[in-house]
Amino acid sequence: MINKKKWIANLSVLFGGALVAVSAMAAQYSLNINIALTQDDPMYKGLERMKQRVESRTNGKVELRLFTGSQLGKDEDVLEQARAGANVAVLVDTGRLGVFTPSLAVLGAPYIVPDISKLDTLVTSDLFNGWASDLRQKAGLEILSFNWWQGSRHLLTNKPITQPADLKGIRMRTPGAPVWLETIKAMGATPTPLGWTEVYTGLQQHVIDGAEAQMPAVYGSRLYEVISHITKTGHIQLISGLVGSSQWFDTLPAEYQAIVKEEALLAGDYATELTQAKLTDYENLMVKEGVTISEVDITPFVNATESVYQTLNLQTEREQVMQVLGQ
């Protein structure tokens, strides 16, 4: 016959030990990561991988919490939170970081990195590390890795586009960073800053006439329901990075700092590979939904956007990038 008191006592010891173990595993450091995209996007898959690996390698002492759809706010707002020392990070492009370190904006400039296979070479170079150091000193922002390629940006419209002149009068959504605004203006459209989560309704309600984005984001946000044409200009390679607070990062032991950066870099490679592998699938799915996807001669668009480098005084940075890439 079971001795109930003894059984309860043993159970209490068992649960007590489990609670101690859970307490020992409790996170000492936590980082909230914000992205504008959906859980189906390759970038989120990369973040999931990073979360699992970081938490495993630190025995749960560093916890990563992931937020989609800009739940923590617009990218610019999250960057300001990070600058203030909050435990937040955001997957963001260099266009927004150019506000603090102007040289970084060149990675978001038109037709700057034609061969994406050389991305790791660029974002681990002494040139890039110097810009990252400058960002840290001037803005208190820490780049964890910057090798998250989201895809080539293309034009999303409700009419065919074959040349820059066809964009005249089109209010085109783009992020509010200067390098994006100048690029779209140079291409012939009227740049209209708008949050990514507002693009669908903006197109649906004719607040904007078009947008420009990479294929995974277009499909993930179901923009194929409110556009009829995608013109493959590839005018910007959306190179993104995981950027957080240098103040928060400095609270981590050196061992954990190394783990976070190593896994951020590996996760960026993983997300980039997923993006490359799925691009054709995204295109085929949107064609089935009735979207016309067109290849065009990009030469007129390349020529039209040459002025962006002069306008934003990025000629030197462009030459430096070309040297690193061996172009």
Side-chain angles (χ1 to χ4, degrees), residues 64-190:
L64 304 185
R65 295 194 287 257
L66 311 181
F67 297 84
T68 58
S70 298
Q71 293 178 60
L72 301 183
K74 295 188 298 184
D75 291 352
E76 293 86 351
D77 295 338
V78 178
L79 287 175
E80 286 305 315
Q81 294 172 38
R83 293 185 69 198
N87 59 329
V88 296
V90 59
L91 194 67
V92 69
D93 61 272
T94 56
R96 292 179 174 89
L97 300 179
V99 174
F100 311 109
T101 297
S103 294
L104 277 169
V106 75
L107 295 192
Y111 301 104
I112 186 68
V113 184
D115 186 355
I116 207 64
S117 68
K118 296 182 179 181
L119 177 58
D120 274 5
T121 299
L122 176 58
V123 299
T124 59
S125 66
D126 290 341
L127 174 67
F128 184 85
N129 289 338
W131 294 340
S133 177
D134 186 66
L135 180 70
R136 178 186 173 90
Q137 292 174 13
K138 289 181 177 178
L141 293 171
E142 185 77 27
I143 293 178
L144 304 180
S145 69
F146 223 97
N147 59 328
W148 302 66
W149 181 69
Q150 297 190 39
S152 302
R153 304 278 286 196
H154 304 302
L155 302 178
L156 319 175
T157 59
N158 280 304
K159 73 171 191 175
I161 303 294
T162 60
Q163 57 185 336
D166 296 333
L167 292 171
K168 184 177 180 180
I170 289 183
R171 295 165 298 175
M172 180 158 290
R173 180 272 171 184
T174 193
V179 68
W180 297 79
L181 297 172
E182 292 298 332
T183 296
I184 297 308
K185 186 188 299 182
M187 292 176 75
T190 300

